[in-house]
């Protein structure tokens, strides 16, 4: 029985061969990339090229290929080169030109590094011209993305501190031993200060110890061996520790194979046990799920990232948003004050806001009449009143400095006499009179935040935040499978995430 098939002949020639242009659908995302980049001012990128030497591939073409590659989940330069040879969409963008993987890598790491933020800004402003974003209301959040560095190549600040203290202690013990057996002319009435040791101090002290022990019949062979070990190893070790401390800066850790990466607790841990891994803290601000601002940080939490994040926003657009909505990770006195100074209306939770609002939190509050927050405060006379009606006068005022250098003022109030109070056991457990601490500025900002968050608009913004900024991270990390950087160094990973952010905006525009 004869089967009925469509004609198939590979040797059949085309009378009118189609052009690549005809093979690309009108609504294909590659056309969005092409159209958007055609409208950009690429003079800063062009200036990154030298006038001398062989002609280069046009930066406009290279940028189109790079952006579309990230939209297509193609991040390897070798795979991008392969796509330029075989993929009709890449061939259309490049006009059939094929750049080798080294040229593509140099374009990404060298040509784009100083101009990419400007390119990203121009694309966002084009979105604003089309009415897709207004740059007035933003939703801010952060996520941690793992570095390409080895997971077990850590250097801990506390470990360095412990090692230096141990070395200082051993050096002091050897000094005391040497002094105990030294002749009268070799004794030193003013011993070195071993609280802080450096390479020079260790070398000088080791020389003095060696001078006393050498040829001294009272010195044991074990002590001489230990002195030789100190003279040989301690100066080099101290120099290494000091170099590592310089790399640490204000951080608690870094990776040996990517010194810019900090060890952070990742939610997307492959072991599912909250393992610490080297990574970066990525901050974004979104509007209608478009990314309008992004920054990368080495801080393990979000509190200290808001100021540089807003500074980057202001640098890009020469303006600031009218409102900013964020979760409790940003709720601090410093950030509330920052938003107030910048004229931004913040809808930012503080750490106990959710507990206050749930039923269990409200019940706990009702059952805790002796809690500090339930005590009556006389603002005019600056004193509290305890549950028994006793005045709690202000006894001290202290200033605390945060990691970022921000200064907070904390006041202390004490009851005059709690002895014999019939409710003392339920009021507090201390032996002396009850003392409470209060940061009045923070309480003021928390009350304003509470009013904003509980307003009708605040409730809308709280609901919208979870549907605006969080899905962006979910899309990039889960749908695009971007869970680990492929480059090392803060500047390079910032550019890498920027390409993902730009590709995300292009994809959403074409959706």
């Amino acid at each position: 029985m004869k089967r009925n098939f469509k004609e198939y002949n590979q040797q059949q020639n085309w009378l009118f061969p189609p052009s690549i242009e005809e093979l690309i659908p009108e609504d294909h995302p590659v056309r969005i990339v092409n159209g958007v980049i055609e409208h950009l001012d690429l003079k800063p990128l062009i200036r990154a090229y030298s006038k001398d030497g062989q002609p280069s591939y046009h930066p406009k073409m290279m940028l189109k290929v790079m952006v579309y590659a990230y939209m297509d989940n193609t991040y390897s330069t070798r795979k991008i080169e392969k796509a330029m040879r075989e993929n009709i969409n890449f061939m259309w963008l490049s006009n059939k030109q094929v750049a080798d993987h080294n040229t593509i890598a140099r374009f990404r790491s060298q040509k784009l590094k100083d101009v990419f933020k400007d390119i990203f800004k121009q694309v966002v402003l084009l979105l604003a011209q089309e009415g897709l974003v207004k740059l007035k209301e933003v939703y801010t959040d952060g996520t941690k993305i793992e570095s390409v560095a080895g997971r077990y190549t850590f250097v801990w600040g506390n470990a360095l501190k412990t090692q230096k203290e141990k070395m200082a202690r051993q050096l002091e013990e050897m000094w005391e031993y040497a002094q105990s057996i030294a002749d009268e002319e070799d004794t030193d009435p003013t011993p070195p200060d071993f609280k802080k040791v450096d390479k020079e101090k260790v070398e000088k002290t080791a020389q003095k110890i060696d001078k006393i022990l050498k040829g001294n019949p009272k010195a044991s062979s074990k002590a001489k061996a230990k002195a030789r070990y100190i003279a040989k190893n301690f100066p080099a070790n101290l120099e290494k520790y000091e170099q590592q401390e310089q790399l640490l800066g204000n951080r608690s850790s870094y990776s040996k194979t990517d010194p810019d990466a900090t060890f952070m607790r990742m939610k997307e841990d492959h072991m599912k046990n909250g393992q610490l891994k080297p990574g970066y803290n990525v901050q974004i601000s979104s509007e209608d799920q478009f990314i309008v601002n992004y920054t990368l940080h080495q801080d393990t939490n979000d509190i200290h990232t808001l100021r540089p994040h807003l500074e980057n926003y202001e640098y890009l657009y020469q303006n600031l948003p009218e409102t900013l909505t964020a979760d409790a990770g940003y709720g601090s006195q410093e950030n509330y004050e920052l938003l107030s100074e910048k004229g931004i209306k913040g809808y930012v939770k503080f750490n106990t806001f959710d507990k206050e609002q749930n039923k269990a939190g409200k019940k706990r509050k009702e059952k805790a009449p002796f809690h500090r927050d339930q005590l009556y405060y006389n603002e005019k006379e600056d004193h509290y009143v305890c549950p028994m009606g006793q005045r709690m006068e202000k006894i001290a005022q202290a200033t605390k400095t945060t990691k970022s250098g921000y200064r907070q003022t904390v006041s202390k109030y004490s009851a005059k006499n709690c002895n014999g109070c019939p409710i003392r056991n339920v009021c507090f457990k201390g032996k002396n009179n009850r003392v409470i601490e209060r940061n009045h500025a923070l309480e003021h900002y928390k009350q304003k935040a509470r009013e904003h968050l509980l307003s009708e608009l605040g409730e809308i913004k709280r609901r919208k935040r979870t549907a605006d900024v969080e899905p962006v991270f979910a899309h990039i990390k889960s749908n695009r499978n971007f869970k680990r950087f492929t480059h090392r160094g803060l500047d390079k990973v910032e550019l890498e995430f920027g390409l993902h952010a730009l590709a995300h905006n292009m994809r959403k525009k074409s959706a």
Side-chain angles (χ1 to χ4, degrees), residues 14 104 130 159 166 227 378 393:
W14 295 56
I104 298 169
E130 294 182 24
K166 184 179 178 181
N378 187 319
E393 302 289 353

Side-chain angles (χ1 to χ4, degrees), residues 110-284:
Q110 297 176 17
K111 305 302 182 184
L112 283 180
K113 65 177 182 179
D114 295 326
V115 300
F116 186 78
K117 279 287 180 82
D118 179 70
I119 292 170
F120 177 83
K121 174 195 73 173
Q122 289 188 58
V123 173
V124 173
L125 291 177
L126 283 176
L127 296 175
Q129 288 178 11
E130 294 182 24
L132 296 173
V133 296
K134 297 179 181 178
L135 299 177
K136 292 183 178 181
E137 301 178 359
V138 299
Y139 298 84
T140 301
D141 201 2
T143 191
K144 297 176 180 66
I145 298 180
E146 187 179 353
S147 165
V148 72
R151 290 171 178 159
Y152 307 105
T153 59
F154 39 75
V155 174
W156 296 100
N158 285 339
L160 294 180
K161 183 180 177 182
T162 301
Q163 287 295 329
K164 291 179 71 174
E165 290 173 351
K166 184 179 178 181
M167 290 169 65
R169 191 165 56 250
Q170 291 177 348
L171 190 62
E172 185 175 13
E173 289 172 357
M174 279 302 300
W175 173 264
E176 291 174 353
Y177 172 79
Q179 291 296 304
S180 68
I181 64 171
D183 297 330
E184 186 174 347
E185 62 271 13
D186 291 329
T187 57
D188 192 341
T190 56
D193 179 15
F194 294 102
K195 291 181 179 178
K196 187 176 181 181
V197 293
D198 53 35
K199 180 183 176 183
E200 185 179 351
K201 184 182 290 186
V202 169
E203 288 176 341
K204 288 182 179 179
T205 307
Q207 288 173 3
K208 291 180 180 179
I209 293 172
D210 182 66
K211 182 181 177 182
I212 294 171
L213 298 184
K214 197 172 184 180
N216 192 323
K218 299 179 184 178
S220 66
S221 58
K222 186 177 179 180
K224 291 180 180 179
K226 191 171 183 179
R228 287 195 298 270
Y229 179 84
I230 289 174
K232 181 180 179 181
N233 296 287
F234 276 25
N237 288 346
L238 271 175
E239 187 175 18
K240 182 181 74 172
Y241 295 154
E242 286 170 2
Q243 291 173 354
Q244 290 176 333
E245 285 177 336
Q246 287 180 353
L247 286 172
L248 276 170
N250 295 324
R251 295 180 290 162
S252 61
S253 64
Y254 75 86
S255 169
K256 292 178 183 176
T257 52
D258 184 4
D260 284 352
T262 305
F263 276 79
M264 305 177 180
R265 203 169 296 280
M266 304 284 180
K267 290 181 181 179
E268 297 83 7
D269 176 30
H270 67 291
M271 298 291 288
K272 304 301 180 184
N273 60 359
Q275 186 180 8
L276 289 168
K277 292 184 286 189
Y280 296 89
N281 189 346
V282 179
Q283 298 287 312
I284 67 168

